[in-house]
Amino acid sequence: MSNYFQYFKHSIAAYKLPLKFDYPFYYEPSPIAKLACQEVQEYLENQTDFDHNFGLKDDYSTTPIGKMFGVLVVRNKMGEIGYLAAVSGKLANTNQHKVFVPPVFDMLNKNGFFLEQEERLNEINRILKKIETDQNYIQLKANFHQFEIDSKLKIEQSKQILKVNKKDRKTQRETILHTLSQQDAPSFEEDLIKQSLRDKYEFRKLNEEIEAERKQFLSKINNFEDEINALKEERKIKSNSLQNQLFDQYQFINKFKQKKGLLAIFEKTAFQQPPAAAGECAAPKLLQHAFLNELEPICMAEFWWGDSPKSEVRKHQHYYPACTGKCEPILGHMLEGIELNENLLLKQNSNVEKLEILYQDVDLVVINKPEEFLSVPGIEIKDSVYLRIKQQFPMATGPVIVHRLDMSTSGILVLALNKDSHKILQQQFIKRKVKKRYIALLDGNVKDNEGIIDLPLRVDLEDRPRQMVCYEYGKTAQTKYEVIKRKDEKTLIYFYPITGRTHQLRVHASHRLGLNTPIIGDDLYGTKSHRLHLHAESLEFTHPRTKEIIKFQADPNFNL
């Protein structure tokens, strides 16, 4: 039996085991999986097996780093129910722990190839840094830069002298040459030609001297840069070789004991190559250990423990599904032959018999979109606002959709019924001429009564469709907010989006640098509920034909 198989410390007599394994990228953990998480959290609170700063105590000696942990409830060959636990990535600079299952491949093994080759790469980096920070090299480049500036100035000045002398010779020809006798004129012209040739010679000589000095500079600089480039090329070759050698070590199995490596798993994905740290997450570690040790997977759960990261939204003790970028291709292989619950991401509100129309005329229609209903058709789900409007208004022309609301968000949508109206309305949104107000119910008390959140956003490439805060590559995202009231540790709030980024209000509400208070029912950035409590309540714009300002309001089906 596996040394990492753990019996429940609490009684599980009253717990029902799930009949199917959860769809790992969107699910609510089962009660027995939550119990396993609770026991792992009790261990984390009291353990003395390792030293790691999760940021939960006033410890400023090291940088706090929160971690994702996972559990897998399993049945062993004797029919006993227990669980495995794992941590994503390394913990306390090691992959070997008393409680957490080992990785698929331990790159931190002191006797393994990875650390040895990584040390060579580190040595190359140290040599590179030494060369690149060599004061002789730095001064040489600075001198060369100044030489180029001075040379350009000298050439420009020489050109001006050539121009002035040429003009002067032209003037002499025009004013003096015709006054000279036939005997003196040829001699005078010859002297002017000599002056011209001398000027050209001096200019050519200056350029040759500059070029000779430039070559001397470049020769000295190239002595450094040839070594730098050679080291960089060696680093690139060794790094690629090490990466491919590393990929070969990650061989994942499923219940049929079929092996598949990282390169084969990712070759048909959008990445084509495995992303960094693929296979190091908790989920594949847990399933790998279960299959290797004849343990039957029953259900799983993953939770965040510790300080929130600066970019992604991660809350202490909150549950999160497996990531899509790194884990989805791997788990697609590992879960072959295991019956899964349905993917609830492909299930939307089935109670929408008819869209609620707030206003309509020959140019546009305004609706109150229900929650959990798509604005436009998806890859799997075709039913949507767009489809319904096209069916209800068969004479509509043009793109129809002017703006969108997230599937989970309810509220006011305006749709154009002809091309001209679409163009005019869309320009109002692009130029931010439309006034929008959302109402949301937040899971906690917001400190300030009003303010502006300014956090740039971009998609999390490793976990779509999640968005993350990114000051380097993110797009500007700004939201004005105004608290309506607070009650029972909840906050009813108005949001006025200044920009319109994907998931902007959800991230700005939940992120620790925003309000640090997620919207109730936010299954991506908070805690799942019967709905996302976010509603586009008010919309004001200029009518494309009459040019009148029109305003619409629709109350949400939630309150405080």
Side-chain angles (χ1 to χ4, degrees):
M1 185 184 294
S2 165
N3 293 329
Y4 297 94
F5 179 91
Q6 299 184 57
Y7 292 99
F8 281 90
K9 299 174 181 62
H10 300 77
S11 172
I12 58 172
Y15 288 87
K16 289 184 178 180
L17 297 180
L19 298 177
K20 297 180 182 178
F21 199 80
D22 286 311
Y23 177 73
F25 309 103
Y26 190 84
Y27 67 100
E28 176 67 21
S30 64
I32 195 168
K34 288 184 176 180
L35 177 63
C37 288
Q38 177 188 326
E39 292 192 0
V40 173
Q41 290 171 9
E42 289 170 357
Y43 164 75
L44 289 171
E45 285 176 339
N46 301 296
Q47 64 81 29
T48 56
D49 297 330
F50 59 85
D51 184 22
H52 179 88
N53 181 10
F54 290 104
L56 300 176
K57 300 176 183 177
D58 293 332
D59 179 5
Y60 305 104
S61 59
T62 56
T63 303
I65 301 174
K67 300 290 291 184
M68 191 75 79
F69 291 87
V71 299
L72 180 66
V73 178
V74 293
R75 180 187 285 113
N76 65 21
K77 294 180 74 172
M78 293 177 286
E80 298 171 314
I81 303 299
Y83 64 88
L84 304 173
V87 59
S88 290
K90 63 183 179 181
L91 179 63
N93 292 315
T94 181
N95 284 321
Q96 301 300 321
H97 295 277
K98 178 181 175 182
V99 169
F100 305 118
V101 300
V104 176
F105 171 71
D106 187 1
M107 65 178 78
L108 300 182
N109 184 339
K110 293 180 179 179
N111 298 318
F113 70 88
F114 181 81
L115 289 182
E116 179 183 339
Q117 294 187 38
E118 186 182 49
E119 177 53 34
R120 173 54 189 158
L121 288 173
N122 291 337
E123 178 62 21
I124 291 173
N125 287 331
R126 285 192 289 269
I127 296 171
L128 273 171
K129 186 176 181 180
K130 184 179 179 181
I131 296 172
E132 290 171 340
T133 58
D134 187 301
Q135 287 304 307
N136 292 328
Y137 176 50
I138 293 171
Q139 188 61 52
L140 192 58
K141 288 197 295 182
N143 292 344
F144 180 64
H145 179 70
Q146 188 60 49
F147 163 77
E148 290 285 77
I149 294 172
D150 294 342
S151 297
K152 187 176 181 181
L153 182 62
K154 286 179 182 179
I155 289 172
E156 194 59 39
Q157 289 173 341
S158 184
K159 284 181 178 179
Q160 288 300 318
I161 291 172
L162 284 173
K163 191 175 181 180
V164 169
N165 289 348
K166 183 177 181 181
K167 186 177 180 181
D168 182 57
R169 285 192 296 272
K170 182 180 179 183
T171 301
Q172 289 186 58
R173 283 190 176 94
E174 292 173 349
T175 60
I176 299 175
L177 191 61
H178 71 276
T179 65
L180 298 176
S181 66
Q182 287 185 346
Q183 289 180 331
D184 293 336
S187 177
F188 180 79
E189 178 63 31
E190 186 179 349
D191 188 54
L192 290 178
I193 292 171
K194 286 181 179 179
Q195 289 178 32
S196 175
L197 292 173
R198 185 178 64 248
D199 287 349
K200 290 177 180 179
Y201 170 77
E202 292 294 336
F203 183 70
R204 186 170 63 251
K205 183 180 178 184
L206 174 65
N207 275 278
E208 289 173 352
E209 289 173 351
I210 288 173
E211 187 58 32
E213 193 171 354
R214 179 181 286 113
K215 286 181 178 179
Q216 287 183 354
F217 265 117
L218 291 175
S219 176
K220 292 176 182 178
I221 291 172
N222 287 340
N223 288 336
F224 286 96
E225 295 191 343
D226 286 348
E227 188 173 359
I228 288 172
N229 292 332
L231 286 167
K232 285 183 176 180
E233 183 62 23
E234 182 186 357
R235 182 178 64 183
K236 180 181 176 181
I237 293 170
K238 287 187 177 296
S239 180
N240 289 339
S241 174
L242 177 58
Q243 190 68 74
N244 289 328
Q245 192 176 355
L246 194 59
F247 288 155
D248 288 339
Q249 306 306 310
Y250 283 85
Q251 297 289 326
F252 299 90
I253 64 169
N254 53 30
K255 65 177 290 186
F256 306 114
K257 296 294 189 289
Q258 296 169 329
K259 285 187 178 182
K260 204 168 187 180
L262 274 178
L263 290 171
I265 287 173
F266 280 90
E267 66 179 351
K268 293 183 179 179
T269 67
F271 292 99
Q272 293 187 320
Q273 281 279 104
E280 286 293 312
C281 295
K285 286 182 181 180
L286 290 165
L287 289 168
Q288 183 87 347
H289 192 80
F291 293 137
L292 286 173
N293 291 276
E294 305 295 334
L295 298 170
E296 178 192 351
I298 296 173
C299 58
M300 66 178 291
E302 293 181 82
F303 64 88
W304 184 263
W305 186 262
D307 196 36
S308 297
K310 293 180 180 179
S311 52
E312 307 101 319
V313 174
R314 296 286 185 267
K315 304 289 185 183
H316 179 55
Q317 292 184 304
H318 279 214
Y319 296 103
Y320 293 93
C323 65
T324 56
K326 290 186 285 190
C327 288
E328 190 170 23
I330 296 172
L331 298 189
H333 162 67
M334 300 188 83
L335 292 174
E336 280 185 22
I338 293 180
E339 193 173 4
L340 302 177
N341 286 321
E342 66 177 324
N343 177 4
L344 295 178
L345 287 172
L346 303 181
K347 187 176 182 180
Q348 70 169 345
N349 193 337
S350 59
N351 298 320
V352 182
E353 294 182 3
K354 189 175 181 180
L355 293 177
E356 179 187 354
I357 294 180
L358 303 177
Y359 173 86
Q360 70 177 81
D361 61 25
V362 295
D363 296 300
L364 56 90
V365 59
V366 179
I367 69 158
N368 183 15
K369 186 186 88 68
E371 69 272 11
E372 300 304 329
F373 197 76
L374 287 173
S375 296
V376 296
I379 297 174
E380 302 288 342
I381 305 171
K382 300 305 176 186
D383 193 13
S384 60
V385 170
Y386 172 81
L387 188 65
R388 298 287 186 97
I389 293 299
K390 291 289 283 185
Q391 290 171 346
Q392 194 166 344
F393 300 89
M395 299 304 292
T397 59
V400 178
I401 295 293
V402 179
H403 64 124
R404 303 181 187 186
L405 293 176
D406 287 347
M407 177 177 171
S408 300
T409 306
S410 59
I412 299 174
L413 266 180
V414 59
L415 303 109
L417 298 179
N418 55 66
K419 292 181 180 179
D420 290 339
S421 295
H422 183 273
K423 182 178 179 181
I424 295 170
L425 288 169
Q426 193 174 60
Q427 282 301 308
Q428 291 184 53
F429 277 93
I430 291 171
K431 294 179 180 180
R432 301 178 187 173
K433 301 292 185 181
V434 178
K435 293 183 179 179
K436 296 175 283 185
R437 185 175 75 191
Y438 290 71
I439 190 168
L441 186 59
L442 273 52
D443 192 13
N445 282 326
V446 173
K447 181 181 176 182
D448 298 325
N449 290 329
E450 60 182 30
I452 292 180
I453 306 160
D454 187 355
L455 296 175
L457 302 176
R458 72 165 176 84
V459 69
D460 185 342
L461 296 173
E462 294 182 351
D463 201 9
R464 297 173 183 269
R466 289 178 183 274
Q467 304 294 306
M468 60 192 295
V469 172
C470 179
Y471 287 93
E472 186 174 4
Y473 302 110
K475 294 181 178 179
T476 300
Q478 297 173 320
T479 305
K480 181 182 176 183
Y481 68 90
E482 177 187 354
V483 170
I484 305 169
K485 63 177 177 178
R486 302 175 182 87
K487 182 181 177 183
D488 300 329
E489 296 298 314
K490 302 286 187 290
T491 302
L492 195 65
I493 195 169
Y494 283 139
F495 283 125
Y496 304 89
I498 299 170
T499 54
R501 308 301 179 201
T502 302
H503 296 179
Q504 176 176 314
L505 302 182
R506 298 167 70 172
V507 178
H508 280 183
S510 188
H511 197 276
R512 69 174 190 171
L513 299 178
L515 297 182
N516 199 25
T517 313
I519 299 170
I520 291 177
D522 192 338
D523 52 8
L524 288 179
Y525 309 102
T527 303
K528 191 180 179 193
S529 182
H530 68 280
R531 71 151 293 177
L532 174 70
H533 288 59
L534 177 63
H535 177 78
E537 182 202 44
S538 174
L539 193 68
E540 181 179 312
F541 56 92
T542 302
H543 193 284
R545 186 184 298 271
T546 68
K547 308 307 177 186
E548 291 180 301
I549 302 295
I550 52 177
K551 181 177 180 179
F552 300 95
Q553 184 163 331
D555 295 332
N557 60 7
F558 59 84
N559 211 317
L560 179 58

